[in-house]
Amino acid sequence: MGWKEQDMRSALRKLEKSGRLTTVQGAVHPKFELAAVLAQSPGRNAVMFNRVEGYETRVVGNLVDRTNFSVSCGIEPTLEASLQHISRGIEHPVPAALIHDAPCREVVITDKIDIMSIMPVATFFEREAGPYITASVIAAKDPETGKRNVSMNRLLVLGPDKLMIGMSPSHHLYQLMIKAEKLGKPLEISAAIGNHPAVLVAANAYVDLGFDEFEIAGGMFGEPFELSPGVTVNVEAPAGAEFVIEAEFVPGEQYEEGPVSEFHGMYVDYGKSPVLRVKAVTHRKDAIYQTILPGKYHEHFLIGAMAIETTVLHHVRRAVPRAKAAYITEGGMGRCHAVISIAEPRPGEGQKAMFAAFAHCNLVKQVIVVDDDIPIDDPIAVEWAIAARMRAERDMIVIPGVRTDRAEALVHHGTVAKVGIFALREAESPPLAEIPRSMMEHVRQKWDSYQVRG
């Protein structure tokens, strides 16, 4: 299969064939207008901009939602299939392969680099400092072990060959930067733009430092994920990426970012962040620039949600083996609200599942636990379980002062209150009134014969 079926273009072909690619023919400006069109595009299709003012490069956005992910990966459009597919990548990672004739290196720029003349980087929100690269998959190597780390971080364009990189001190990439500084050398990175949805989700997986997320992508593809060696840095990048920025941290240099949008849709001010010096930009000859609309928009939510729910489920199953599924809701901003189902839960297992979810991901602050007869990605079914099975005086827990992430909307001195809701069937609960399953299936099979119209 190789890079030809592992790149963004293979996903776009599948989405177009499935009617899930919208094309914008009219010209848009990269400052605010492109973002406004993405925000108001109907449905959840990927959106291709064929004309961006000042550029010949096309731009794609809204690439990832749950259905688009399923179509791109060739799996059923169900939560169960998504969990299984991403879990396969985590449980059966495949070491990456190195190739030397990669499309991401068709054009190599090492002199007179000017990021804004090479790619149409968008400006999204009026109070932000400038244009942000939002879809970059960043790879770096541990300066002590040589093991690769992959993540996604926003990049603010500061000048022709300078970028600010946004990352929390808790992030693995930040830890690698500190390691490199102690060794007296700058940390090198590659930032790949224009990637397959599986690679984007893998890069967001909550796994231990030293677990190569490109190997998770390989596990999802069922074969080695193909990488290209760096031109000016000792860090690889996806062979089929559209653009690759090669850069290194500038020791001691930081930039005061000012207000920046977060996933909860509000501005935050994180203060100073590290600066990168760009050493090279490589790209395909007819490269397509990918952007992710940040803030409170669905693609930003879902890239994180699909990765988090899969690793949450793995963590919960260590404590409660009968945990069946986990779902991070879009209403919970793709980060904060989890629903977990358990088959035949024993007393106290709902609480164990809740604590395991909180322990795994700092941003999760509400956990609802239900029986496995509840389709957890159906908000009406989950609300029904709360209404029919939860006794508020017994089945709600509020835990104040729990350590959280700096991105939490209500963080106060590094903490936030967290909530557990247990909507589990009681032994004495009356049975559900249901039409016989055999008849439901019989009707499904002969539906066309009813000649239902309208």
Side-chain angles (χ1 to χ4, degrees), residues 216-256:
I216 297 175
M220 281 193 265
F221 288 123
E223 65 172 12
F225 182 54
E226 292 191 342
L227 303 175
S228 169
V231 175
T232 63
V233 297
N234 184 28
V235 186
E236 301 77 20
E242 300 291 325
F243 292 90
V244 178
I245 298 171
E246 297 186 351
E248 65 182 17
F249 284 84
V250 180
E253 186 169 349
Q254 294 192 323
Y255 181 80
E256 188 76 43

Side-chain angles (χ1 to χ4, degrees), residues 156-349:
L156 170 64
V157 180
L158 299 179
D161 63 350
K162 273 198 172 183
L163 302 166
M164 187 220 76
I165 179 168
M167 55 183 182
S168 168
S170 64
H171 291 175
H172 291 160
L173 182 60
Y174 192 97
Q175 295 169 30
L176 298 188
M177 180 192 71
I178 297 301
K179 278 188 178 184
E181 286 181 356
K182 289 180 178 178
L183 293 172
K185 55 184 181 181
L187 183 69
E188 298 178 329
I189 64 106
S190 69
I193 303 162
N195 292 281
H196 191 285
V199 179
L200 298 172
V201 171
N204 281 275
Y206 276 55
V207 292
D208 293 336
L209 180 61
F211 196 137
D212 186 344
E213 288 85 352
F214 284 149
E215 295 187 2
I216 297 175
M220 281 193 265
F221 288 123
E223 65 172 12
F225 182 54
E226 292 191 342
L227 303 175
S228 169
V231 175
T232 63
V233 297
N234 184 28
V235 186
E236 301 77 20
E242 300 291 325
F243 292 90
V244 178
I245 298 171
E246 297 186 351
E248 65 182 17
F249 284 84
V250 180
E253 186 169 349
Q254 294 192 323
Y255 181 80
E256 188 76 43
E257 183 176 19
V260 61
S261 63
E262 258 299 356
F263 61 83
H264 42 62
M266 294 175 280
Y267 289 111
V268 294
D269 189 339
Y270 292 130
K272 295 180 179 180
S273 289
V275 172
L276 299 169
R277 180 178 67 86
V278 179
K279 302 175 73 174
V281 177
T282 73
H283 61 84
R284 297 170 78 143
K285 289 179 180 177
D286 56 345
I288 303 168
Y289 180 77
Q290 182 189 6
T291 191
I292 293 171
L293 180 58
K296 58 180 178 57
Y297 292 95
H298 74 268
E299 185 177 18
H300 192 200
F301 290 163
L302 293 174
I303 287 174
M306 288 188 287
I308 292 170
E309 67 199 12
T310 306
T311 54
V312 161
L313 180 59
H314 278 256
H315 202 75
V316 168
R317 279 178 173 164
R318 294 176 187 171
V320 184
R322 283 189 301 278
K324 299 292 287 186
Y327 180 69
I328 301 294
T329 72
E330 192 170 339
M333 303 178 289
R335 308 288 190 278
C336 300
H337 292 176
V339 186
I340 298 168
S341 62
I342 305 176
E344 300 179 3
R346 296 173 182 170
E349 286 191 328

Side-chain angles (χ1 to χ4, degrees), residues 109 111-119 159-161 281:
I109 304 168
D111 295 321
K112 298 180 180 178
I113 297 167
D114 184 355
I115 293 291
M116 292 301 295
S117 71
I118 298 170
M119 58 188 80
D161 63 350
V281 177

